[in-house]
Amino acid sequence: MDKRILTIQDISCVGQCSLTVALPIISAFGIETAVLPSSVLSTHTAGFSGYTFRDLTDDMPLILNHWKKEGLKFDAFYTGYVSKSQIPIILDIMNQVGSEDSIRIVDPVMGDNGKLYPGFDEDFPSEMAKLCKGATIILPNLTEASYMLGIPYVGDNKDSSDYDKPYIETLLKKLLTLGCKKVVLTGVSFEKGKLGCACYDGKDIEYYFNDRLDAQMHGTGDVFASSFTGSICKGYSLLQATKLASDFVVESMKKTLGDKNHWYGVKFEKALPWLIGQIEK
């Protein structure tokens, strides 16, 4: 039976991130993708100024009530950029229109490079941790993991990292204490020129690395999380989904390299044929 996913995150009208990334990528897996916008922005917030923002918190319970009247159910949930006040509503949505078997994937979007994104206060990580409780899989980066656990951030740069494998493996085990079942920690690096992910299912810890490209691009986290979600819902293992999502990010970045005018996102659309080819193998 075909699965239906509900993804809950913002719409940045321009910027190749959030719902404008999630909908086409998950759809490429042949999976019906429903959306619940948490807010609408004219552009994303990184590099643009004067953007518009409209919060949609008040609409979310009304949408839920309509879905309940229609008897709609979802086989999987994938959350991205949301506000603190929306987290209790999202948990209610998952409980009301999901089931015990529904997959819950939480990308705890809140920060990077040791800092919270603009608009998130110091209380936000503890609220996000509540959304991670009961999640099937969470997808934090090192910054988000540190904030949710309330520990100092230990990061890396493209030449060296300030942590070792025992540190990462301790971090993975601590993340499971939030109440999730599995963790994929992104942005991990143990050697120069390599960047990847650490996967932990409560038993085994596995790693996957790509060659690090000499570029930083907006929206790669959303590209990763969306393709990861599609992979999991197609039955891929934790490591298989991580591999495909990581490789797709790299392919998307390669399609963008060299275009100095395209600073605001990655050209994932041009890499979709590659993704579909991998899915159909």
Side-chain angles (χ1 to χ4, degrees), residues 26-244:
I26 299 173
S27 297
F29 284 84
I31 299 170
E32 179 184 349
T33 310
V35 301
L36 179 55
S38 58
S39 57
V40 178
L41 296 85
S42 53
T43 66
H44 64 60
T45 62
F48 292 104
S49 60
Y51 50 83
T52 66
F53 175 87
R54 182 172 296 276
D55 184 271
L56 298 179
T57 304
D58 292 343
D59 293 276
M60 296 170 78
L62 303 177
I63 292 170
L64 171 61
N65 288 337
H66 182 225
W67 285 344
K68 288 167 62 179
K69 288 179 182 177
E70 294 294 330
L72 295 173
K73 293 288 184 179
F74 300 95
D75 304 292
F77 300 91
Y78 154 41
T79 68
Y81 185 103
V82 298
S83 68
K84 182 167 63 176
S85 62
Q86 292 169 344
I87 290 174
I89 300 172
I90 293 169
L91 287 169
D92 189 41
I93 289 169
M94 290 178 172
N95 291 331
Q96 295 284 343
V97 292
S99 69
E100 291 183 2
D101 297 325
S102 294
I103 299 168
R104 300 186 181 190
I105 298 175
V106 175
D107 183 6
V109 179
M110 69 179 86
D112 203 359
N113 298 315
K115 297 179 180 180
L116 293 175
Y117 293 138
F120 292 124
D121 59 29
E122 295 297 324
D123 294 331
F124 184 81
S126 61
E127 291 301 310
M128 178 55 74
K130 295 177 183 178
L131 189 56
C132 292
K133 184 178 181 180
T136 310
I137 308 166
I138 64 172
L139 307 172
N141 60 32
L142 288 167
T143 298
E144 293 155 351
S146 299
Y147 269 98
M148 286 194 296
L149 294 173
I151 61 176
Y153 167 74
V154 180
D156 84 296
N157 56 58
K158 64 181 181 180
D159 295 319
S160 64
S161 58
D162 299 322
Y163 51 79
D164 55 15
K165 188 174 287 188
Y167 172 82
I168 292 297
E169 297 189 351
T170 298
L171 201 61
L172 289 169
K173 292 173 183 177
K174 287 182 177 180
L175 285 166
L176 277 199
T177 66
L178 296 177
C180 56
K181 295 178 180 178
K182 301 176 183 179
V183 179
V184 176
L185 184 63
T186 63
V188 176
S189 178
F190 297 125
E191 62 178 297
K192 183 178 179 180
K194 296 290 184 180
L195 184 66
C197 303
C199 308
Y200 183 43
D201 63 1
K203 295 180 181 179
D204 301 313
I205 296 175
E206 298 178 288
Y207 297 91
Y208 183 69
F209 296 97
N210 293 95
D211 291 335
R212 187 196 289 259
L213 298 179
D214 189 19
Q216 285 191 324
M217 299 180 185
H218 301 300
T220 53
D222 294 335
V223 172
F224 177 89
S226 300
S227 49
F228 177 90
T229 298
S231 300
I232 289 294
C233 291
K234 290 289 283 188
Y236 288 42
S237 70
L238 194 66
L239 185 61
Q240 287 172 335
T242 299
K243 287 181 177 180
L244 181 58

